[in-house]
């Protein structure tokens, strides 16, 4: 597995690289957003760890540009703790968010969780094509279509809609979705689920304001109606 780590703090990058290499990962490094985009485009990487505050190009802009050509899982690093700053990261296509200073064990746990979710070889025995109306998910290729046309989903967006489609008509609270999809407690960022649901509706529903498939049970949570 190849991981791209991009941060303008050289000592931090060195520490992350050392710890990830000890886990058996191959690590590529960069120091600004421009390098992040260039390396993501030119190198075959399985995951990106990306700082938000960087010279030349900030991490949010770099994340959005990477999303134009790649669905590689992205973890954002930032010194900011406000919920709105975190939500901005998800709006730009990030899959996860970690606030500095952080425990390297937590970073490694989140990397493992994202790589597990992104692995196209998981659970081969399960149904590999999910259909609902005009929506088709290919879980082997991790691709989505609507009305026969390709729809670009981030790794986490795909995980959310796949989980809901595999469990139709069952209502899940935001807390349950966080625990299941994100694989750890994320209660301080509970609106993360709302952001992903809204983006999925924009991409997969004919009318996001009046969805047919990705529905809300007010006061309870979300569910998928085939």
């Amino acid at each position: 597995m190849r991981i791209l780590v991009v941060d303008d703090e050289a000592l931090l990058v060195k520490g992350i690289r050392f710890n990830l290499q000890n886990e058996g990962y191959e690590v590529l490094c960069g120091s600004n957003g421009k390098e992040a985009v260039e390396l993501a485009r030119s190198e075959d990487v399985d995951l990106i760890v990306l700082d938000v505050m960087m010279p030349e190009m900030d991490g949010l802009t770099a994340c959005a540009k990477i999303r134009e050509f790649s669905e590689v899982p992205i973890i954002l690093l930032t010194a900011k703790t406000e919920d709105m700053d975190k939500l901005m990261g998800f709006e730009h296509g990030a899959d996860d968010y970690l606030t500095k200073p952080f425990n390297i064990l937590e970073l490694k746990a989140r990397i493992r969780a994202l790589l597990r979710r992104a692995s196209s070889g998981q659970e081969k025995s399960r149904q590999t094509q999910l259909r609902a109306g005009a929506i088709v998910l290919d879980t082997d290729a991790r691709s989505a279509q609507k009305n026969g046309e390709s729809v670009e989903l981030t790794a986490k967006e795909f995980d959310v809609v796949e989980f809901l489609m595999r469990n139709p008509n069952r209502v899940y609270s935001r807390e349950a979705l966080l625990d299941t999809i994100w694989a750890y407690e994320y209660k301080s960022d509970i609106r993360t689920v709302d952001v992903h649901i809204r983006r999925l509706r924009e991409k997969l529903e004919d009318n996001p304001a009046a969805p047919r498939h990705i529905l809300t049970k007010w006061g309870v949570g979300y569910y998928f109606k085939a």
Side-chain angles (χ1 to χ4, degrees):
M1 290 286 186
R2 304 181 83 199
I3 297 177
L4 172 60
V5 179
V6 185
D7 195 306
D8 60 333
E9 297 182 45
L11 286 178
L12 178 61
V13 171
K14 183 178 180 180
I16 294 174
R17 180 178 61 190
F18 174 80
N19 279 276
L20 294 184
Q21 286 177 335
N22 282 346
E23 294 287 323
Y25 298 113
E26 181 180 351
V27 182
L28 305 178
C29 300
S31 60
N32 59 66
K34 184 178 179 181
E35 287 184 1
V37 177
E38 292 173 349
L39 287 168
R41 190 186 299 274
S42 63
E43 300 289 340
D44 182 18
V45 297
D46 298 290
L47 183 142
I48 300 174
V49 178
L50 182 63
D51 186 36
V52 171
M53 303 298 293
M54 293 187 293
E56 293 195 47
M57 181 187 295
D58 65 84
L60 292 177
T61 302
C63 185
K65 287 185 175 294
I66 291 170
R67 280 289 169 258
E68 294 175 2
F69 60 85
S70 174
E71 299 306 315
V72 62
I74 297 176
I75 299 176
L76 287 181
L77 304 178
T78 182
K80 297 183 178 182
T81 58
E82 294 298 323
D83 284 348
M84 188 53 63
D85 294 317
K86 298 177 182 180
L87 292 175
M88 282 294 292
F90 295 118
E91 289 281 4
H92 284 73
D95 296 286
D96 204 349
Y97 205 106
L98 196 57
T99 302
K100 296 178 178 179
F102 55 85
N103 188 312
I104 191 64
L105 295 177
E106 183 176 7
L107 175 61
K108 290 192 288 187
R110 296 191 185 197
I111 287 173
R112 287 194 297 270
L114 278 178
L115 289 176
R116 280 199 306 270
R117 293 288 179 180
S119 174
S120 62
Q122 62 181 330
E123 300 184 63
K124 289 292 186 179
S125 62
R126 304 182 72 188
Q127 182 181 355
T128 59
Q129 249 193 18
L130 304 175
R131 295 176 179 269
I135 301 170
V136 179
L137 292 189
D138 185 327
T139 61
D140 271 357
R142 289 185 64 81
S143 63
Q145 289 187 340
K146 175 187 171 185
N147 294 320
E149 295 187 0
S150 178
V151 177
E152 293 298 324
L153 302 180
T154 68
K156 196 60 66 180
E157 288 168 355
F158 191 95
D159 290 340
V160 172
V161 72
E162 179 187 358
F163 178 75
L164 291 176
M165 289 182 74
R166 287 193 183 279
N167 300 278
N169 302 314
R170 181 173 176 180
V171 181
Y172 291 91
S173 68
R174 289 182 293 177
E175 292 88 349
L177 289 171
L178 286 170
D179 291 344
T180 301
I181 306 300
W182 276 259
Y184 56 85
E185 292 292 334
Y186 212 154
K187 292 182 180 177
S188 63
D189 297 307
I190 198 166
R191 287 178 296 168
T192 297
V193 174
D194 301 331
V195 172
H196 282 74
I197 292 293
R198 177 170 60 77
R199 289 171 65 91
L200 283 169
R201 285 172 173 164
E202 291 172 350
K203 294 179 178 182
L204 297 175
E205 296 281 4
D206 291 330
N207 181 0
R212 293 181 53 198
H213 300 290
I214 306 170
L215 304 179
T216 302
K217 181 76 169 180
W218 295 108
V220 183
Y222 298 106
Y223 66 102
F224 192 93
K225 184 176 181 181

